[in-house]
């Protein structure tokens, strides 16, 4: 029983605030959580208002056609509702695709989003990774020719390292891949990347013409709705119809649906968060430069600093109520910090300057 899961580790999510409260006795309101790439500003106040107003309907299942949400996404991306599937986070859309195909082999970057590997192993797939830790499309192509994987994952920009392929390079790569390999473009941080550099912008409507490309996006990052679990997949109708076969009914909640619909209506709020993200990121870059610490140019809402003794540093920060991500498990000393609010970043950097 469970033979296929033998080598599968349970996904370790960023430490929840509750755990730090229990372990270190720090007041919840004093904890600074910069470990899971959440939006530090939260959702738009208009979203909170709409959810409150609709709370009385939580005994009702949501509209399972997700009509209004798909209309909103259609307008945002210039696609049609039939090109969209909604998931409980984009994680669930990834799950639909991977389980629906049940690949024998999948291909991904040396270090990339952990869920690709987890869902793939659940169906017994062999995981093939490029030697480079960041996305190197020449290596991808070599390994594609050698192994003919049924799925290729491109995380654009990449979590947890923050680097981002140019859109043109992604489009050129797609052209070289046969139709029987699905290419999944994970755009969880596309809002950040396309703000910073237009050359990184992947437009979902541009991939509809391909029979074998799925774009995924989420409300968890730029839109500040991580706790609501709403994501989406965009692709040609054939792919979407098949993903729907794996979708359980009512897979997001009534209030998650309200939140997502209203989040799309307040783009100003989202832009404020993205703008501040890159302003605040400069503080970490200054710190790295002044200390000669290597870092990746980041197109996301987090930054990776190749700092010595990352595990000790993460622990010392945790004792002071600051949660970040230690990357020692990848085999090098680095920390991943989600960019927070100005006062959060200032406090973290002050402590970092003291202890490192
Ligand atoms: C956060 C994240 C997701 C999905 O998050 P959901 O909350 O499930 O929508 C997908 N891919 C990457 C790379 C992410 O960082």
């Amino acid at each position: 029983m469970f033979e296929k899961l033998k080598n599968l580790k349970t996904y370790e999510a960023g430490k929840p605030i509750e755990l730090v409260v229990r372990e270190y006795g720090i007041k919840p309101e004093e904890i600074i959580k910069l470990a899971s790439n959440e939006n530090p500003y939260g959702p738009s106040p208009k979203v909170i208002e709409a959810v409150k107003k609709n709370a009385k309907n939580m005994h009702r299942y949501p509209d399972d056609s997700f009509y209004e949400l798909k209309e909103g996404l259609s307008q945002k991306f210039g696609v049609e509702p039939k090109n969209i599937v909604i998931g409980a986070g984009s994680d669930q859309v990834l799950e639909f695709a991977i389980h629906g195909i049940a690949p024998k082999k999948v291909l991904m970057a040396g270090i990339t989003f952990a869920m690709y590997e987890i869902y793939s192993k659940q169906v017994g797939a062999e995981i093939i990774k490029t030697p480079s830790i960041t996305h190197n499309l020449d290596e991808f192509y070599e390994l594609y020719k050698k192994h003919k994987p049924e799925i290729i994952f491109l995380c654009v920009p990449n979590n947890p390292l923050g680097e981002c392929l140019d859109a043109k390079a992604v489009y050129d790569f797609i052209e070289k891949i046969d139709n029987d390999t699905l290419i999944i473009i994970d755009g969880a941080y596309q809002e950040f990347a396309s703000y910073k550099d237009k050359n990184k912008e992947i437009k979902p409507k541009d991939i509809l013409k391909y029979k074998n490309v799925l774009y995924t996006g989420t409300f968890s990052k730029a839109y500040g709705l991580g706790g609501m679990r709403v994501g989406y997949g965009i692709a040609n109708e054939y792919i979407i119809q098949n993903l729907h076969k794996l979708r359980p009914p009512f897979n997001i909640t009534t209030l998650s649906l309200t939140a997502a619909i209203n989040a799309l209506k307040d783009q100003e709020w989202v832009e404020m968060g993205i703008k501040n993200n890159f302003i605040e990121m400069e503080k970490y870059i200054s710190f790295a430069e002044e200390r000669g610490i290597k870092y990746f140019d980041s197109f996301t809402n987090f930054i990776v600093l190749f700092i010595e003794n990352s595990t000790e540093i993460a622990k010392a920060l945790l004792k002071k109520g600051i949660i970040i991500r230690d990357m020692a498990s990848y085999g090098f000393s680095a920390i991943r910090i989600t960019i927070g609010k100005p006062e959060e970043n200032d406090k973290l950097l002050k402590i970092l300057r003291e202890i490192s």
Side-chain angles (χ1 to χ4, degrees), residues 147-208:
H147 294 279
K148 287 285 165 140
E150 293 98 322
I151 304 180
I152 298 175
F153 297 95
L154 297 180
C155 195
V156 196
N158 190 20
N159 178 19
L161 295 178
E163 97 280 5
C164 190
L165 289 166
D166 279 348
K168 166 114 183 19
V170 173
Y171 296 143
D172 289 347
F173 179 77
I174 292 171
E175 295 286 349
K176 297 200 294 187
I177 304 301
D178 288 339
N179 277 340
D180 44 12
T181 294
L182 179 70
I183 301 166
I184 300 182
I185 300 174
D186 184 338
Y189 302 93
Q190 264 290 318
E191 290 88 351
F192 296 97
S194 57
Y195 173 90
K196 179 167 171 174
D197 181 350
K198 278 284 161 233
N199 293 322
K200 308 293 183 190
E201 184 175 17
I202 294 189
K203 295 197 179 87
K205 74 171 183 329
D206 292 341
I207 59 109
L208 295 185

Side-chain angles (χ1 to χ4, degrees), residues 86-307:
I86 302 297
S90 56
D91 273 358
Q92 197 185 29
V93 178
L94 296 170
E95 182 184 1
F96 296 158
I98 298 165
H99 287 189
I101 290 175
K104 290 200 176 63
K105 291 180 180 184
V106 299
L107 174 58
M108 64 189 77
I111 293 182
T112 190
F113 190 48
M115 294 313 296
Y116 309 152
E117 180 165 347
I118 293 175
Y119 288 131
S120 299
K121 282 188 175 165
Q122 287 172 357
V123 294
E126 179 189 340
I127 314 296
I128 298 155
K129 292 182 180 176
T130 62
S132 295
I133 57 174
T134 55
H135 286 67
N136 177 321
L137 289 176
D138 293 332
E139 291 177 6
F140 267 86
Y141 189 60
E142 281 307 308
L143 288 167
Y144 159 74
K145 279 195 301 191
K146 187 166 169 210
H147 294 279
K148 287 285 165 140
E150 293 98 322
I151 304 180
I152 298 175
F153 297 95
L154 297 180
C155 195
V156 196
N158 190 20
N159 178 19
L161 295 178
E163 97 280 5
C164 190
L165 289 166
D166 279 348
K168 166 114 183 19
V170 173
Y171 296 143
D172 289 347
F173 179 77
I174 292 171
E175 295 286 349
K176 297 200 294 187
I177 304 301
D178 288 339
N179 277 340
D180 44 12
T181 294
L182 179 70
I183 301 166
I184 300 182
I185 300 174
D186 184 338
Y189 302 93
Q190 264 290 318
E191 290 88 351
F192 296 97
S194 57
Y195 173 90
K196 179 167 171 174
D197 181 350
K198 278 284 161 233
N199 293 322
K200 308 293 183 190
E201 184 175 17
I202 294 189
K203 295 197 179 87
K205 74 171 183 329
D206 292 341
I207 59 109
L208 295 185
K209 62 175 180 281
Y210 299 107
K211 289 202 175 74
N212 61 329
V213 182
L214 168 65
Y215 177 93
T216 60
T218 180
F219 285 89
S220 300
K221 309 284 160 57
Y223 285 87
L225 293 178
M228 293 307 246
R229 315 302 305 123
V230 189
Y232 49 89
I234 300 178
N236 73 62
E237 208 178 346
Y238 176 74
I239 292 177
I240 296 300
Q241 275 170 356
N242 277 289
L243 298 185
H244 270 118
K245 293 178 186 174
L246 285 104
R247 187 182 69 84
F250 314 120
N251 58 323
I252 67 170
T253 73
T254 299
L255 297 180
S256 304
L257 181 58
T258 303
I261 290 166
N262 286 281
L264 281 178
K265 292 178 183 165
D266 194 351
Q267 290 297 328
E268 247 175 73
W269 179 265
V270 176
E271 274 165 35
M272 174 281 287
I274 295 171
K275 206 169 147 193
N276 283 343
N277 174 67
F278 287 113
I279 292 172
E280 287 297 305
M281 193 184 284
E282 289 299 324
K283 293 179 181 171
Y284 292 97
I285 293 173
S286 302
F287 168 74
E289 305 241 313
E290 112 205 357
R291 294 289 179 100
I293 294 168
K294 213 185 112 203
Y295 63 94
F296 274 123
D297 190 19
S298 170
F299 293 83
T300 64
N301 63 349
F302 58 84
I303 188 162
V304 172
L305 304 179
F306 289 80
I307 198 166

